[in-house]
Amino acid sequence: MDKWGVFKLQLGLIFILFVINATFAQNNSIQGRIFNSTNNEAIPFANIIIDGSNIGASSDLDGNFQFINVNPGYVKLIATSVGYEKFYSTEFLVVNGKTKYIDIPMHETTMKLAEIEIKAATFRRDEESPLSMRSIGIAEIEKSPGSNRDISRVIQSLPGVSPTPNSRNDIIVRGGGASENRFYLDGIEIPTLNHFATQGASGGSIGIVNVDFLREIELYSGAFPANKGNALSSILDMRMIDGNPNSIKIKGAFGASDLALTLDGPINKKTTFIFSARRSYLQFLFSAIGLPFLPTYNDFQWKSKIRFDTKNELTIIGIGAIDDSKLNTGIKNPNESQKFILGYLPEYEQWNYTVGVNYKHFRKNSYDSYILSRNMLRNISYKYPGNDESKAKLYDYSSDEIENKFRFERNIQKQDLKINFGVGLEYDKYKNTTKQKILAKDSIINTNYNTFIDLYAWEVFGQVTDAFLNNRLVLSFGIRMDANNYDKNMTNLLDQYSPRISASYSINERLHINSNIGRFVQRPAYTTMGFRNNNDVLINKENDITYINVNHAVLGIDYDVNSKSRLSVEGFLKWYHNYPFSVNDSVSLASKGTDFSAFGDEEVTSTAEGRAYGMEVYFRSTDIKGFNIILSYTFVRSEFKEKRGQYIPSAWDNRHLFNITLKKDLGRNWEIGAKWRFTGGAPYTPIDLFTSSIRQVWDSKGKGSLNYNAYNSERVKNYNQLDIRIDKQYFFKKWALNFYMDVQNVYAKNADQPPIYTNLDVNGIPAVNPNDNTKYILREIDNSSANILPTIGVIVEF
């Protein structure tokens, strides 16, 4: 037998051992505690069942419960108790030989148990935000086709969220810009969601958050709760698991771009932890296939929870990243596209972190939260002419953002009445050193400035929710006010008064009408507030910039088709005011923010206005003939006024977005999933070929300059893509193994892109115009993208 025969035999034997080992006796259990969500007191004699089975348990006097000999795989719990709303957990993974610990917080209600039972299962309702809020559990996050376990891509299956190119992770919701979103991790804000982040916006290339930490996520595209502010389009609320209190668990993952290791377990009887670290190997892969840039990223994440007693607990979290992107100048015989990218793309060095603590003190009918956090972003980018490091830099950017935040909240619940109120304070610092050449009014200006600002900001908020008409009508009213000491337009809380009201009426146990009207505000980006002109003046402070504000109006219905399926339809309107308006380009900043490095560092006025409107259809079913289905359709228009006061499309005016995700359990721990998406063609601004051909203009940035007189006057073609994922899990005596294959863009669909131009001739030499040596002869080059992106991954859990 030759060596290949031996190798095949070894593989066969290993596979047989896997199969045999997977049939060994099981010793799997679920333990947990069921308690009142408001005062943390145990709920005795509650009934808990495993969804889809007849297996049940009851809680003891201390609220503890246990299931033993549970089949491995993803399971979901349902809990009921008199005087409390029915509870549906998100899915979680049970592994052979391990005990899974689950906390079950239950909300008090005046409804009787019999009244609760007739309501459809599976889908929870949020009384403060009865519409425009979608939740996703860990099983969907882990196995979403085409998402590569990346939160920013997972949520693109939800209504209102626009898909982005494979190289970008911008979050675009209901026609709003990439800078209009906020992110929370266990109630603590994390300003940076992605590696290689766009400073001042939400973009980047790869998510920082390790999904192994997550229990579920909730995306608000409207009806924002009053305790979360500084957002115009969305709030992403991520909730993490706690460490296992019984024993150490280890989870390793090998995916398309990185290696990850996660540990969780007890520190002592009162303290648990969970920690992870990831290291990318993209730079080796990109170098091997000849891509013109070599990114490297690392990230870490931790959480520790201390339960001092039943009335006091402390949560400590941390998350951070170190990113570095160098140019691959060693490519042999680069093609035209590679030369173009090498000609304009800067190199990046970036790191960021957030650390925070959340102390909770429980009372009889309430609990207090004291939240303290600090975050920092350092962003460095630079560009040498011709990538020759012996020459002076064309572009040199270095910036720090530091925020120190404190927030106090009190949550009160007396049966159906819920009250939340609180205050917040923060101290922030921003500094920036920038050297660059910019095109201003058809001439090149050398910009060279150093800036430093520090500011204090404060907030107050409150929200009241109650049920009426025998719980058929639920009303929620919230108020929020924000201010800071940057300039006179931002210091008065009353000038940033943000009311919101939600209503939900139950026509019957299946059909609900929901609505929300609200006003939301957002502070301008630090890059905008800290910008200085060549006279060393904080010009935007002189221009009296102020908070951006947007008015939302949303109306919708949701219908529970059965216990496993829900259909919802919503219409939305958004009116923007005081948006930053670029003095140089005469357009709103709303369409910017999808480039790397930084966004908003220019002179602006708070004068732009805009609107976004549309409708969404969302169908969700956990079981239709064995299929798990997510279907969403969004019609959206997004428009902002240009310098003549006429509405023109923003960069997010895709008009039609359609997603369908299907997953099927094939048995024997095989699962297959597919996601098909359609995206309407997005507007783009053509290149100003005359201005771009001027050598001084082209050499200042290495690429063409946009024609702002024809802003967003063109559109790329519509696009569709199919992604497929196959998972196979093995459950052994004390560990689990998951193999997966994920293929993006299965049928190699070409994604239409705006045309790009080069100043090089076909031999790679700068093409100087023989009739005018101050200009180049520009030439359009191929910009097609039709790549199939396969990924093979392995996840091991002990």
Side-chain angles (χ1 to χ4, degrees):
M1 183 180 295
D2 61 18
K3 63 179 181 179
W4 289 110
V6 173
F7 178 70
K8 292 177 182 177
L9 178 60
Q10 289 173 333
L11 285 180
L13 290 173
I14 291 172
F15 178 79
I16 293 171
L17 288 173
F18 276 179
V19 174
I20 295 173
N21 217 358
T23 65
F24 282 0
Q26 301 162 358
N27 184 22
N28 327 314
S29 64
I30 301 171
Q31 292 180 4
R33 177 175 177 264
I34 188 165
F35 57 93
N36 186 308
S37 62
T38 303
N39 58 29
N40 205 35
E41 292 180 356
I43 302 175
F45 314 120
N47 297 313
I48 307 101
I49 65 169
I50 296 176
D51 190 24
S53 76
N54 296 319
I55 303 172
S58 295
S59 59
D60 63 20
L61 291 174
D62 296 319
N64 299 314
F65 64 90
Q66 182 179 26
F67 294 90
I68 60 174
N69 295 326
V70 181
N71 289 329
Y74 283 98
V75 301
K76 185 184 297 185
L77 300 182
I78 301 175
T80 56
S81 182
V82 177
Y84 292 89
E85 296 177 5
K86 196 172 186 178
F87 176 88
Y88 306 94
S89 78
T90 55
E91 288 184 298
F92 55 89
L93 182 64
V94 175
V95 178
N96 278 339
K98 296 293 182 180
T99 299
K100 187 73 176 182
Y101 193 89
I102 300 294
D103 277 337
I104 296 182
M106 298 191 74
H107 300 287
E108 288 186 272
T109 182
T110 58
M111 297 178 69
K112 298 177 182 179
L113 185 61
E115 295 174 314
I116 299 172
E117 292 290 352
I118 63 174
K119 289 192 172 182
T122 303
F123 304 104
R124 302 197 308 270
R125 297 180 54 79
D126 190 290
E127 294 177 338
E128 291 81 1
S129 303
L131 74 175
S132 303
M133 191 278 285
R134 316 292 181 190
S135 62
I136 300 178
I138 185 60
E140 294 171 296
I141 296 170
E142 286 266 14
K143 298 183 178 182
S144 174
S147 300
N148 198 26
R149 304 174 81 235
D150 190 325
I151 294 300
S152 298
R153 297 199 169 274
V154 171
I155 63 175
Q156 291 179 9
S157 296
L158 299 178
V161 184
S162 298
T164 55
N166 288 326
S167 61
R168 296 289 304 183
N169 262 8
D170 303 288
I171 295 179
I172 310 299
V173 180
R174 287 183 172 176
S179 62
E180 299 178 16
N181 315 284
R182 288 297 176 268
F183 319 111
Y184 289 84
L185 201 58
D186 272 9
I188 296 171
E189 184 178 353
I190 56 168
T192 306
L193 189 65
N194 292 297
H195 290 284
F196 307 103
T198 303
Q199 188 176 0
S202 65
S205 56
I206 298 169
I208 290 175
V209 177
N210 186 345
V211 300
D212 293 334
F213 272 67
L214 297 182
R215 173 165 49 92
E216 66 175 337
I217 61 176
E218 292 181 342
L219 178 70
Y220 296 83
S221 54
F224 305 147
N227 64 340
K228 295 180 173 64
N230 210 31
L232 302 176
S233 282
S234 81
I235 291 174
L236 184 61
D237 191 5
M238 295 168 282
R239 298 173 184 174
M240 295 190 287
I241 62 174
D242 294 331
N244 192 310
N246 300 309
S247 61
I248 296 290
K249 291 173 52 184
I250 302 174
K251 188 172 185 178
F254 171 83
S257 57
D258 56 47
L259 294 167
L261 177 67
T262 303
L263 306 174
D264 79 282
I267 296 176
N268 54 45
K269 290 183 178 181
K270 296 184 176 181
T271 307
T272 61
F273 81 97
I274 177 168
F275 170 82
S276 78
R278 294 194 295 180
R279 169 73 175 178
S280 76
Y281 47 82
L282 272 180
Q283 69 275 24
F284 305 114
L285 176 62
F286 282 21
S287 177
I289 62 179
L291 292 182
F293 47 89
L294 304 174
T296 302
Y297 64 86
N298 308 271
D299 59 50
F300 63 88
Q301 193 171 336
W302 81 82
K303 175 183 177 180
S304 183
K305 192 165 190 175
I306 307 171
R307 290 184 168 94
F308 300 103
D309 51 46
T310 59
K311 294 298 183 182
N312 298 278
E313 64 183 38
L314 178 69
T315 300
I316 306 169
I317 75 160
I319 186 170
I322 302 172
D323 304 328
D324 186 74
S325 181
K326 301 298 183 183
L327 295 178
N328 188 8
T329 55
I331 299 177
K332 295 181 180 180
N333 302 316
N335 60 34
E336 290 186 326
S337 176
Q338 292 170 330
K339 290 178 182 178
F340 172 75
I341 294 173
L342 289 170
Y344 83 86
L345 190 68
E347 296 186 308
Y348 302 95
E349 299 171 13
Q350 191 178 100
W351 56 264
N352 68 83
Y353 69 83
T354 299
V355 292
V357 297
N358 185 349
Y359 171 71
K360 285 186 177 181
H361 174 65
F362 295 91
R363 304 173 184 274
K364 183 178 180 180
N365 293 306
S366 66
Y367 67 90
D368 297 337
S369 296
Y370 301 85
I371 301 168
L372 182 66
S373 66
R374 174 182 170 90
N375 62 75
M376 180 174 178
L377 167 70
R378 174 161 293 173
N379 187 20
I380 298 171
S381 59
Y382 48 87
K383 181 68 179 178
Y384 292 96
N387 300 315
D388 184 350
E389 296 185 9
S390 66
K391 298 180 180 179
K393 294 175 181 176
L394 280 173
Y395 173 66
D396 195 3
Y397 180 92
S398 177
S399 177
D400 288 353
E401 292 182 8
I402 303 172
E403 295 180 323
N404 304 279
K405 299 184 178 184
F406 170 76
R407 189 171 82 250
F408 165 77
E409 291 187 33
R410 175 164 290 181
N411 288 271
I412 304 170
Q413 182 169 358
K414 294 183 178 181
Q415 295 182 334
D416 293 318
L417 174 65
K418 298 178 182 178
I419 301 173
N420 168 271
F421 65 87
V423 297
L425 296 170
E426 62 181 272
Y427 172 61
D428 309 322
K429 294 191 291 185
Y430 170 78
K431 63 180 181 180
N432 185 315
T433 300
T434 296
K435 177 183 177 182
Q436 64 178 336
K437 295 181 179 181
I438 62 172
L439 178 64
K441 309 302 182 185
D442 298 327
S443 62
I444 294 295
I445 296 177
N446 290 309
T447 299
N448 191 348
Y449 71 88
N450 294 282
T451 190
F452 174 81
I453 62 172
D454 60 345
L455 59 86
Y456 293 91
W458 49 97
E459 63 190 48
V460 295
F461 54 84
Q463 190 150 353
V464 178
T465 305
D466 205 354
F468 306 90
L469 303 178
N470 195 27
N471 290 292
R472 296 177 73 90
L473 175 66
V474 177
L475 298 177
S476 184
F477 176 70
I479 301 173
R480 183 181 177 90
M481 292 181 283
D482 295 85
N484 67 75
N485 67 339
Y486 176 76
D487 66 24
K488 65 179 185 297
N489 284 341
M490 301 194 200
T491 57
N492 190 341
L493 283 169
L494 295 176
D495 290 338
Q496 285 78 236
Y497 175 74
S498 305
R500 72 273 328 256
I501 184 170
S502 297
S504 178
Y505 183 75
S506 299
I507 295 176
N508 54 47
E509 66 270 15
R510 290 187 173 185
L511 181 61
H512 308 269
I513 300 177
N514 311 301
S515 64
N516 172 266
I517 297 175
R519 182 176 187 262
F520 310 105
V521 301
Q522 180 176 298
R523 191 172 62 198
Y526 292 111
T527 51
T528 302
M529 294 190 291
F531 176 76
R532 291 182 184 269
N533 62 14
N534 282 343
N535 297 321
D536 198 33
V537 173
L538 287 171
I539 189 63
N540 293 326
K541 186 173 182 178
E542 295 291 315
N543 291 344
D544 292 329
I545 63 171
T546 189
Y547 282 78
I548 311 165
N549 70 73
V550 62
N551 297 316
H552 284 209
V554 190
L555 178 66
I557 61 170
D558 60 68
Y559 177 66
D560 293 325
V561 180
N562 53 45
S563 64
K564 302 293 184 181
S565 305
R566 172 174 287 181
L567 173 68
S568 66
V569 180
E570 295 183 14
F572 61 88
L573 294 169
K574 298 161 66 175
W575 298 272
Y576 291 92
H577 303 279
N578 300 334
Y579 222 101
F581 188 81
S582 171
V583 171
N584 184 42
D585 300 328
S586 297
V587 296
S588 167
L589 295 195
S591 288
K592 298 186 177 183
T594 58
D595 204 354
F596 290 103
S597 186
F599 154 76
D601 51 339
E602 59 179 296
E603 182 180 356
V604 301
T605 59
S606 292
T607 55
E609 296 183 356
R611 63 189 182 190
Y613 56 91
M615 58 88 68
E616 300 168 352
V617 178
Y618 182 57
F619 177 75
R620 180 78 176 87
S621 179
T622 59
D623 186 10
I624 294 183
K625 295 186 179 302
F627 283 93
N628 188 312
I629 299 174
I630 300 176
L631 185 152
S632 68
Y633 167 74
T634 304
F635 170 76
V636 59
R637 295 302 311 270
S638 176
E639 302 169 323
F640 280 79
K641 289 184 177 179
E642 42 89 84
K643 59 186 176 182
R644 293 181 295 272
Q646 301 296 317
Y647 279 109
I648 59 173
S650 79
W652 330 116
D653 188 54
N654 294 98
R655 300 188 180 179
H656 300 284
L657 307 170
F658 180 80
N659 285 276
I660 182 168
T661 302
L662 302 173
K663 290 195 295 182
K664 172 74 171 177
D665 186 342
L666 301 177
R668 301 184 64 83
N669 300 317
W670 284 93
E671 185 173 297
I672 186 169
K675 177 170 66 179
W676 186 82
R677 67 188 187 194
F678 172 90
T679 307
Y684 71 90
T685 303
I687 297 296
D688 185 336
L689 291 174
F690 177 82
T691 302
S692 300
S693 69
I694 300 172
R695 293 177 63 183
Q696 186 183 24
V697 173
W698 183 275
D699 291 342
S700 69
K701 58 194 307 184
K703 61 179 180 178
S705 298
L706 300 180
N707 181 3
Y708 286 100
N709 291 319
Y711 193 68
N712 284 343
S713 59
E714 305 288 341
R715 283 184 183 268
V716 298
K717 296 178 182 178
N718 299 335
Y719 178 71
N720 63 84
Q721 177 173 313
L722 176 65
D723 305 326
I724 292 177
R725 175 171 170 138
I726 300 173
D727 284 80
K728 170 60 176 174
Q729 287 185 291
Y730 295 94
F731 295 100
F732 303 103
K733 291 182 68 174
K734 293 186 178 182
W735 60 290
L737 180 66
N738 181 23
F739 289 104
Y740 68 87
M741 181 178 67
D742 188 288
V743 183
Q744 299 179 45
N745 196 17
V746 171
Y747 45 77
K749 182 72 174 181
N750 181 54
D752 189 34
Q753 302 287 335
I756 60 174
Y757 296 83
T758 182
N759 69 326
L760 305 178
D761 63 19
V762 293
N763 297 313
I765 300 172
V768 178
N769 191 328
N771 300 318
D772 185 351
N773 64 6
T774 66
K775 294 183 178 180
Y776 290 121
I777 297 175
L778 302 184
R779 179 172 57 90
E780 185 176 354
I781 61 176
D782 180 53
N783 192 28
S784 60
S785 175
N787 296 321
I788 300 175
L789 301 176
T791 300
I792 296 176
V794 180
I795 301 172
V796 183
E797 185 168 348
F798 296 92

